[in-house]
């Protein structure tokens, strides 16, 4: 009963935020990765504007190194919802010479998304980008406001954040600025999974335990893929794993698991001593990796 009241309160807050976005901004967009957080956002947006359709497009910044299961799910969901999907590709930014492909043992396209995202915001003149970041994920994200202002270079200044008193959301921005909006900022990973279970939402199969060809590096489990650098001595094996978070294949590690249903995933998370983003190698590059990326315009 207490848990139900808690989840309902979080849902009501998120719906209120979505409606404030629609009221205060001219060209919002929902950033969609195909992961559990953005799937939750889509359901919340549906509820916020029902019986009308979601009144803004979804946009995916595609690294080209995503899990195939996620892309397949993304395309199917968008078709079922009848909403517009905008896709912008990191490969185009590479081809245009705007970013340089990383090489080596920990190479990834994840950080390259920043340039592609900022170009897309400029291209479509979006003034509000809605995303699924949560304060419990990482300490830099814990500093975010629900309406987080970015300057005309797309950069975030943690020292220049607006106060948010009670439910007063200030969407006033200057020419050239835009706002990143986080409707599930106050949710935890467990809250998201509980909501997915309650709403009976479909999610990509990689979130459930399955047999996969993997290799182990630095005590982390990596998908054996052409997109993931592998040393010759690193041996490929088949293992039962699942993914707790979905990102570029080259920066997202798996966890050993036998959880094949949402209820089993929820139980597993309750007992876990490892954080959700403990499986993201891009967060381990330095103590302030996420904060530096946010300052450069990363979501």
């Amino acid at each position: 009963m207490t848990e139900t009241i808690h989840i309902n309160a979080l849902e009501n807050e998120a719906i209120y935020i979505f409606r404030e976005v629609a009221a205060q901004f001219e060209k919002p967009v929902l950033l969609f990765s195909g992961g559990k957080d953005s799937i939750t956002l889509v359901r919340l947006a549906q509820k916020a504007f029902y019986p009308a359709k979601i009144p803004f497009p979804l946009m995916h910044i595609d690294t080209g190194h995503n899990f195939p299961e996620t892309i397949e799910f993304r395309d199917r969901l968008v078709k079922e919802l009848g909403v517009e999907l905008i896709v912008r590709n990191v490969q185009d930014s590479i081809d245009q010479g705007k970013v340089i492909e990383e090489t080596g043992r920990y190479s990834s396209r994840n950080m390259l998304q920043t340039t592609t995202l900022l170009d897309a915001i400029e291209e479509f003149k979006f003034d509000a980008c809605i995303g699924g970041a949560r304060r419990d994920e990482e300490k830099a994200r814990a500093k975010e406001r629900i309406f987080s202002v970015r300057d005309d270079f797309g950069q975030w200044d943690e020292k220049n954040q607006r106060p948010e008193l009670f439910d007063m959301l200030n969407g006033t921005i200057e020419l050239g600025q835009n706002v990143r909006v986080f409707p599930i900022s106050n949710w935890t990973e467990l809250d998201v999974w509980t909501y997915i279970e309650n709403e009976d939402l479909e999610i990509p199969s990689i979130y459930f335990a399955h047999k996969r060809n993997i290799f182990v590096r630095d005590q982390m489990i990596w998908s054996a893929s052409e997109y993931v650098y592998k040393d010759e001595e690193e041996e490929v094996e088949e293992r039962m794993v699942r993914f707790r978070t979905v990102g570029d294949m080259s920066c997202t590690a798996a966890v050993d698991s036998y959880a094949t249903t949402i209820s089993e995933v929820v139980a597993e998370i309750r007992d876990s001593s490892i954080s959700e983003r403990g499986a993201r190698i891009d967060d381990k590059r330095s103590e302030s990796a996420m904060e530096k990326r946010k300052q450069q315009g990363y979501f």
Side-chain angles (χ1 to χ4, degrees):
M1 182 66 177
T2 302
E3 184 175 69
T4 300
I5 293 172
H6 171 67
I7 294 298
N8 286 344
L10 290 175
E11 180 187 66
N12 290 336
E13 178 189 53
I15 288 173
Y16 166 76
I17 293 166
F18 268 110
R19 290 172 177 168
E20 284 297 301
V21 170
Q24 296 192 44
F25 297 97
E26 294 183 6
K27 288 203 70 175
V29 65
L30 194 157
L31 300 184
F32 187 79
S33 68
K36 67 183 186 309
D37 297 314
S38 55
I39 292 168
T40 297
L41 287 181
V42 168
R43 171 52 61 90
L44 291 165
Q46 285 180 287
K47 288 192 172 187
F49 303 108
Y50 182 83
K53 288 185 178 181
I54 298 172
F56 36 73
L58 276 56
M59 182 166 72
H60 184 205
I61 304 300
D62 190 344
T63 67
H65 292 176
N66 293 288
F67 292 94
E69 298 95 325
T70 308
I71 299 301
E72 178 187 345
F73 175 86
R74 177 200 72 185
D75 293 342
R76 187 171 71 255
L77 179 64
V78 167
K79 185 176 181 180
E80 291 172 358
L81 294 175
V83 298
E84 178 187 2
L85 173 67
I86 298 168
V87 179
R88 288 297 178 266
N89 300 289
V90 170
Q91 185 63 54
D92 291 337
S93 298
I94 295 171
D95 293 343
Q96 294 162 7
K98 294 180 177 179
V99 294
I100 299 174
E101 181 95 71
E102 295 182 359
T103 59
R105 206 162 190 254
Y106 298 106
S107 58
S108 170
R109 287 188 173 183
N110 205 46
M111 293 182 68
L112 307 185
Q113 293 179 88
T114 299
T115 297
T116 312
L117 171 61
L118 295 180
D119 284 349
I121 292 172
E122 177 63 25
E123 176 187 355
F124 293 97
K125 306 301 180 187
F126 292 128
D127 53 1
C129 298
I130 307 162
R134 308 187 319 270
R135 288 179 174 134
D136 76 318
E137 290 182 277
E138 201 273 341
K139 59 187 179 183
R141 286 182 167 171
K143 299 177 182 179
E144 287 278 19
R145 301 295 189 264
I146 291 173
F147 277 14
S148 181
V149 179
R150 300 300 200 267
D151 65 19
D152 53 0
F153 294 102
Q155 297 174 330
W156 173 70
D157 181 1
E158 76 280 7
K159 297 178 181 178
N160 191 29
Q161 293 282 296
R162 297 171 177 174
E164 285 182 345
L165 306 175
F166 305 101
D167 56 358
M168 303 284 287
L169 299 174
N170 181 3
T172 304
I173 54 176
E174 302 293 336
L175 183 66
Q177 291 181 330
N178 62 79
V179 169
R180 309 293 168 83
V181 181
F182 305 112
I184 60 172
S185 184
N186 292 326
W187 298 43
T188 66
E189 180 189 15
L190 186 58
D191 291 333
V192 171
W193 276 107
T194 301
Y195 191 74
I196 288 170
E197 183 177 31
N198 291 350
E199 294 290 312
D200 194 24
L201 297 180
E202 183 184 359
I203 56 175
S205 59
I206 59 172
Y207 279 114
F208 300 113
H210 58 285
K211 289 184 178 180
R212 197 178 196 92
N213 289 332
I214 61 92
F215 66 94
V216 178
R217 175 194 299 152
D218 300 333
Q219 299 180 316
M220 301 180 77
I221 302 169
W222 298 100
S223 183
S225 162
E226 61 180 311
Y227 302 133
V228 182
Y229 179 92
K230 186 178 74 67
D231 291 332
E232 290 184 5
E233 66 272 15
E234 291 173 328
E235 297 184 2
V236 175
E237 61 178 294
E238 188 178 71
R239 200 148 147 182
M240 281 288 288
V241 299
R242 74 175 192 86
F243 293 86
R244 285 179 68 180
T245 178
V246 173
D248 189 301
M249 291 181 73
S250 59
C251 70
T252 308
V255 295
D256 287 310
S257 176
Y258 289 94
T260 58
T261 66
I262 291 180
S263 60
E264 290 174 347
V265 169
V266 169
E268 186 178 271
I269 292 170
R270 288 185 191 277
D271 296 335
S272 177
S273 60
I274 301 172
S275 72
E276 176 185 6
R277 293 193 69 90
R280 292 294 290 268
I281 193 65
D282 47 330
D283 288 348
K284 300 178 185 298
R285 294 189 178 207
S286 73
E287 182 72 15
S288 58
M290 174 65 79
E291 188 151 334
K292 287 180 179 177
R293 279 181 287 154
K294 289 171 72 63
Q295 290 169 348
Q296 293 166 358
Y298 180 82
F299 189 72

